């Protein structure tokens, strides 16, 4: 019965496979399909042949990666009709080929042993991809060769500059500025370093040098650049276990060398599961025997605990061996500890209990470990500040530490700025690593502020004086008014003048006015006036007319530019001005003198962002002396407090104040001042306008390590 069921299931699977093949064939006929993939070695180079059902119109686009070493080709409108998605090649530098289909697009991925360049060629319905032969004859996988800039120059051009920098993650970065983006570059790993050839290039005398960059704390030790025939040869020597990457952006060629990060707890290095693939098909096999199979495949030494028991049925095909091992352990509740090439596999509870016991033993040993004292010379940070950071006072007046052990202690010596730490050797090494991060030079920022105050004033005033005088001498009973021996009637202000002699008429002051509306003074200056007197000698009458006018126009500008240099995230302030005294009543009833400041003040705290921009916490004051009231001078204050993000070297307006005062007044004699045209003789007009504007500009500049910024 079971045998019949198996035959029935096999027939069903055959039908499904047949339908799938028919569907793929129809899709391939409609869009173009991959029929076959094969590999061979021609003229010492690995060649991959891909057969299609129809000729391709153009060569497919592709790209290459260095880690992992791969070449990928993208085929638009092509499906996979070969019946396989993976091909094991193991031919020279070519390990395997994978075909991945997504919709109407397919990608062919070549898995290489070492990075390599390639070229493609179309011949009928076949596409040939040939790997370029490496110039290095070494058989090790770590030696790789990469070529950049396929189109090369015909003339020999000089390199512009060679620079070395340390990245934030501790990698060494060699930056070469090329003459143009067509310079050919050949890069290959050579021994413990990297050799770079810049084809058909020359190097100026100032760049022919050997850079010792070991003090930067990167894997790179030296960079030597020399002229080698028509090429420039650069040798980069590194130490430790490292990996490299190279890329070119326009005229800049960059080589990055960083320490290889190795996780000792992982079975294989790299993201995810990256072990060699295997296939397992077992039914009711003992777990201990299954682990032995994996040990034979991986050449790992596996120690299995006596508590590991049970059986397992599994079927795995083309699965990385590290993933297969993880699946087996998860299925049986097992855990693993790795020490070098030895794996200890046991139930998780047993491993946790052993780990806990090891930690407790290590802690007990640490309490018995002898103490040592080591001195640390600090260059930038203060030793007293570091002591406060690595220690703190406990509630029992003992030293409760954050970075030191329970028995550890630290003191500072301010005269030589040294730190003395007493603790176990392991803790002393941790303190050394901590100080290497804390005792570093802090970048500095130059903050320049410009406070611009502009004023525009205008004033105009028009006015008149109008008066008349009637003076008639005594003519013997002809009427009139006697005034100090003289007969006189004045309209406006009456003045009494001294009489020259008895019976003689006195002198007359012609300034008597009955309309007195002169122009107002502006800016401390009196208005200009023009006076006319009309005199009738026969009638002894005077008519006085005085016109006064004043107009003032003024423009002013005050520019204040305080600037200050401070370290990153350190508050700085600068001020200039005057302190004015004023009386204050003391608690005992007496009078004492206090002072008020009228200053220009800039207070700022900068923070440099990882992108190189600057965040500024700003507090700006612009004071000036004001009026004096009750013997106390008032202070005119302009103040702004804000936080702003500014790019390095950029300028931003953080605020401004605009004030406009306009005033227009008119004084006149009622009724007479309203008469058209003539009414101007009976009124005065005043008009004034005052505009005040203040703008504050801020410019931060990060001072580079090469020197101060002007």
């Amino acid at each position: 019965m079971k045998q019949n069921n198996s035959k029935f299931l096999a027939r069903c699977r055959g039908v499904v496979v047949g339908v799938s093949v028919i569907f793929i064939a129809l899709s391939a006929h409609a869009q173009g399909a991959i029929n076959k993939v094969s590999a061979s070695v021609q003229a010492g180079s690995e060649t991959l042949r891909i057969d299609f059902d129809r000729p391709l119109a153009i060569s497919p686009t592709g790209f290459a990666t260095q880690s992992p070493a791969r070449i990928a080709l993208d085929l638009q409108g092509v499906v996979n009709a070969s019946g396989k998605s993976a091909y094991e090649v193991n031919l020279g530098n070519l390990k395997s080929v994978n075909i991945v289909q997504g919709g109407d697009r397919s990608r062919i991925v070549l898995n290489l042993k070492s990075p390599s360049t390639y070229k493609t060629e179309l011949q009928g319905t076949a596409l040939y991809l040939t790997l370029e032969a490496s110039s290095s004859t070494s058989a090790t996988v770590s030696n790789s060769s990469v070529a950049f800039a396929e189109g090369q120059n015909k003339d020999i051009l000089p390199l512009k500059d060679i620079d070395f920098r340390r990245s934030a993650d501790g990698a060494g970065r060699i930056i070469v500025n090329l003459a143009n983006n067509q310079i050919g570059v050949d890069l290959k790993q050579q021994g413990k370093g990297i050799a770079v050839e810049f084809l058909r290039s020359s190097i100026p005398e100032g760049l022919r040098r050997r850079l010792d960059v070991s003090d930067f704390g990167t894997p790179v030790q030296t960079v030597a650049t020399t002229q080698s025939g028509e090429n420039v040869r650069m040798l980069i020597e590194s130490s430790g276990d490292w990996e490299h990457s190279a890329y070119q952006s326009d005229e800049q060629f960059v080589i990055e060398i960083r320490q290889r990060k190795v996780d000792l707890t992982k079975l294989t290095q790299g993201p995810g599961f990256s072990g060699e693939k295997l296939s397992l098909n077992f039914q009711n096999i003992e777990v201990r025997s299954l682990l032995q199979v994996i040990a034979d495949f991986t050449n790992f030494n596996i120690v299995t605990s006596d508590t590991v028991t049970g059986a397992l049925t599994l079927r795995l095909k083309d699965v990385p061996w590290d993933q297969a091992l993880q699946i087996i352990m998860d299925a049986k509740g097992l855990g693993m500890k790795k020490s070098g090439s030895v794996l200890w596999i046991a139930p998780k509870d047993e491993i946790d209990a052993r780990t806990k016991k090891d930690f407790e033993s290590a802690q007990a040993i640490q309490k018995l470990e002898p103490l040592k004292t080591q001195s640390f010379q600090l260059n930038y940070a203060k030793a007293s500040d570091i002591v406060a950071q690595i220690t703190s006072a406990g509630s029992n007046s003992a030293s409760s530490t954050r970075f030191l052990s329970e028995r550890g202690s630290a003191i500072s010596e301010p005269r030589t700025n040294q730190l003395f730490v007493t603790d176990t050797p392991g803790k002393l090494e941790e303190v050394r690593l901590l100080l290497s991060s804390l005792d570093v030079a802090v970048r500095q920022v130059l903050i320049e502020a410009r406070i611009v105050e502009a004023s525009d004033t205008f004033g105009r005033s028009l006015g008149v004086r109008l008066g008349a005088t009637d003076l008639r001498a005594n003519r013997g009973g002809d009427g009139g008014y006697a005034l100090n021996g003289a007969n006189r009637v004045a309209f406006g202000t009456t003045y009494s003048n001294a009489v020259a002699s008895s019976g003689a008429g006195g002198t007359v002051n012609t300034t008597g006015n009955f309309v007195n509306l002169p122009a107002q003074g502006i800016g401390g200056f009196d208005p200009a006036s023009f006076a006319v007197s009309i005199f009738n000698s026969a009638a002894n009458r005077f008519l006085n007319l005085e016109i006064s006018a004043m107009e003032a126009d003024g423009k002013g500008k005050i520019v204040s530019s305080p600037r200050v240099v401070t370290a990153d995230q350190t508050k700085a302030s600068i001020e200039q001005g005057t302190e004015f005294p004023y009386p204050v009543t003391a608690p005992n009833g007496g009078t004492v003198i206090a002072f008020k400041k009228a200053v220009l003040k800039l207070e700022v705290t900068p923070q440099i962002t990882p992108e190189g921009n600057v965040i500024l916490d700003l507090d700006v004051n612009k004071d000036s002396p004001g009026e004096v009231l009750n013997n106390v001078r008032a202070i005119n204050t302009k103040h702004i407090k804000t936080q702003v993000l500014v790019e390095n070297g950029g300028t931003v307006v953080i605020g401004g104040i605009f004030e406009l005062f306009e005033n227009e007044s008119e004084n006149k004699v009622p009724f007479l001042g309203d008469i058209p045209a003539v009414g101007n003789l009976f009124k005065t007009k005043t008009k004034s306008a005052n505009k005040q504007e203040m703008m504050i500009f801020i410019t931060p500049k990060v001072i580079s390590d090469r020197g101060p910024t002007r």
Side-chain angles (χ1 to χ4, degrees), residues 102 118-119 135 159 195 227 232 243 257 263 277 282 304 351 368 375 444 448 464 488 497-498 586 615 669 682:
Y118 68 95
K119 62 180 180 180
S135 60
L159 302 181
Q227 187 74 41
V232 175
E243 58 185 2
I257 301 176
D263 189 355
K277 295 182 178 180
F282 295 102
T304 306
I351 292 180
L368 301 176
S375 64
Q444 295 181 323
E448 181 178 2
V464 296
R488 180 180 66 178
N497 301 300
I615 299 175
V669 178
F682 301 95

Side-chain angles (χ1 to χ4, degrees), residues 407-452:
R407 299 183 295 157
S409 62
I411 61 172
S412 63
E413 207 290 308
R415 186 174 60 87
T416 58
N417 198 33
Q418 291 189 36
L419 180 67
F420 295 89
V421 181
T422 301
D423 212 324
T424 60
K427 282 295 182 180
L428 292 178
E429 178 63 19
E430 293 181 11
V431 172
R432 186 189 66 81
L433 295 176
L434 175 66
L435 294 180
S436 64
S437 300
L438 295 179
D439 187 30
V440 295
V442 181
R443 289 187 292 177
Q444 295 181 323
V445 184
L446 169 65
I447 300 100
E448 181 178 2
R450 289 185 178 271
I451 305 174
V452 180

Side-chain angles (χ1 to χ4, degrees), residues 615-636:
I615 299 175
L616 299 175
D617 288 326
L618 289 163
D619 192 349
V620 183
N621 271 6
K622 181 63 173 70
D623 301 337
S624 60
E627 300 178 358
V628 178
L629 302 174
N630 298 327
N631 295 327
V632 177
R633 183 176 293 276
I635 304 299
N636 299 326

Side-chain angles (χ1 to χ4, degrees), residues 288 291 300-305 308 337 342-346:
R288 302 174 67 90
L291 294 177
F300 263 93
N301 300 314
I302 295 181
V303 178
T304 306
S305 175
V308 177
K337 287 192 67 175
V342 179
L343 300 180
W344 176 48
I345 297 178

Side-chain angles (χ1 to χ4, degrees), residues 376-573:
F376 300 93
Q377 178 65 54
L378 302 182
N379 300 319
Y380 302 101
K382 291 184 179 180
S384 57
D385 296 340
I386 297 298
V387 170
Q389 291 179 358
I390 66 176
T391 62
S392 61
S395 58
N396 55 356
S397 299
S399 178
S400 175
T401 60
R402 288 182 291 175
F403 293 100
L404 305 181
S405 64
E406 295 180 357
R407 299 183 295 157
S409 62
I411 61 172
S412 63
E413 207 290 308
R415 186 174 60 87
T416 58
N417 198 33
Q418 291 189 36
L419 180 67
F420 295 89
V421 181
T422 301
D423 212 324
T424 60
K427 282 295 182 180
L428 292 178
E429 178 63 19
E430 293 181 11
V431 172
R432 186 189 66 81
L433 295 176
L434 175 66
L435 294 180
S436 64
S437 300
L438 295 179
D439 187 30
V440 295
V442 181
R443 289 187 292 177
Q444 295 181 323
V445 184
L446 169 65
I447 300 100
E448 181 178 2
R450 289 185 178 271
I451 305 174
V452 180
E453 296 179 274
S455 62
D456 188 356
T457 60
F458 176 78
R460 175 184 295 168
S461 181
L462 297 174
V464 296
R465 283 179 176 171
L466 184 61
T469 304
D470 184 5
L471 178 62
R472 287 173 287 186
N474 187 5
R475 298 181 179 178
D478 60 350
Y481 301 89
L483 184 58
N484 293 333
N487 294 329
R488 180 180 66 178
V489 177
F491 301 92
T493 303
T494 303
Y495 294 89
S496 176
N497 301 300
V499 181
S501 59
S502 179
T507 60
V508 178
N509 190 333
T510 62
T511 60
N513 304 313
F514 53 81
V515 177
N516 188 14
L517 298 173
Q520 303 295 324
I522 301 176
F525 295 94
D526 296 330
S529 61
F530 177 75
V532 177
S533 296
I534 301 176
F535 173 67
N536 189 338
S537 59
N540 287 334
R541 294 183 177 89
F542 296 89
L543 180 63
N544 308 318
L545 176 62
E546 178 182 330
I547 300 175
S548 57
M550 182 67 178
E551 182 174 317
D553 190 3
K555 297 180 183 294
K557 182 171 68 173
I558 301 174
V559 179
S560 305
S561 181
R563 61 179 63 184
V564 65
V565 178
T566 183
D568 184 22
Q569 301 189 35
T570 302
K571 181 183 290 186
S573 64

Side-chain angles (χ1 to χ4, degrees), residues 578-698:
T578 307
E579 292 189 1
F580 294 96
Y582 65 95
V584 177
T585 302
N588 58 2
T591 302
V592 296
I593 299 299
F595 291 88
K596 285 184 178 180
K597 287 186 177 181
V599 297
L600 168 64
K601 181 179 179 181
L602 171 63
E603 186 175 280
V604 60
T605 303
Q607 177 184 348
I608 304 175
T609 64
E611 296 82 10
N613 300 329
V614 184
I615 299 175
L616 299 175
D617 288 326
L618 289 163
D619 192 349
V620 183
N621 271 6
K622 181 63 173 70
D623 301 337
S624 60
E627 300 178 358
V628 178
L629 302 174
N630 298 327
N631 295 327
V632 177
R633 183 176 293 276
I635 304 299
N636 299 326
T637 301
K638 296 176 181 178
H639 178 217
I640 184 171
K641 185 176 183 181
T642 184
Q643 184 184 80
V644 63
L645 174 64
V646 192
E647 63 179 1
N648 181 24
T651 301
V652 63
V653 181
I654 64 172
I657 299 174
F658 178 77
E659 297 176 332
L660 174 61
F661 301 94
E662 292 183 343
N663 183 32
E664 186 172 354
S665 63
E666 179 180 278
N667 299 321
K668 60 184 178 181
V669 178
F671 305 111
L672 296 179
D674 297 331
I675 301 175
V678 180
N680 291 326
L681 299 177
F682 301 95
K683 67 175 66 173
T684 178
K685 292 182 178 180
T686 302
K687 182 179 181 181
S688 62
N690 185 4
K691 290 189 293 184
Q692 301 284 342
E693 186 173 7
M694 183 185 75
M695 302 289 289
I696 301 177
F697 302 85
I698 295 292

Side-chain angles (χ1 to χ4, degrees), residues 78-149:
V78 176
V79 297
N80 181 18
S82 64
K84 296 176 65 177
S85 60
Y87 294 85
E88 292 292 337
V89 179
N90 291 325
L91 186 65
N93 192 25
L94 181 59
K95 294 193 299 183
S96 61
V97 178
N98 291 39
I99 303 177
V100 182
Q101 180 178 339
D104 61 346
R105 181 172 67 92
S106 297
R107 170 172 290 183
I108 300 177
V109 180
L110 284 70
N111 300 308
L112 309 177
K113 297 179 181 178
S114 62
S116 175
T117 57
Y118 68 95
K119 62 180 180 180
T120 58
E121 182 181 359
L122 289 174
Q123 294 183 6
T125 60
L127 171 66
Y128 291 88
L129 185 148
T130 303
L131 301 181
E132 297 289 345
S134 175
S135 60
S136 175
T137 58
S138 175
T140 59
V141 177
S142 59
N143 290 349
S144 59
S145 176
V146 182
F148 293 81

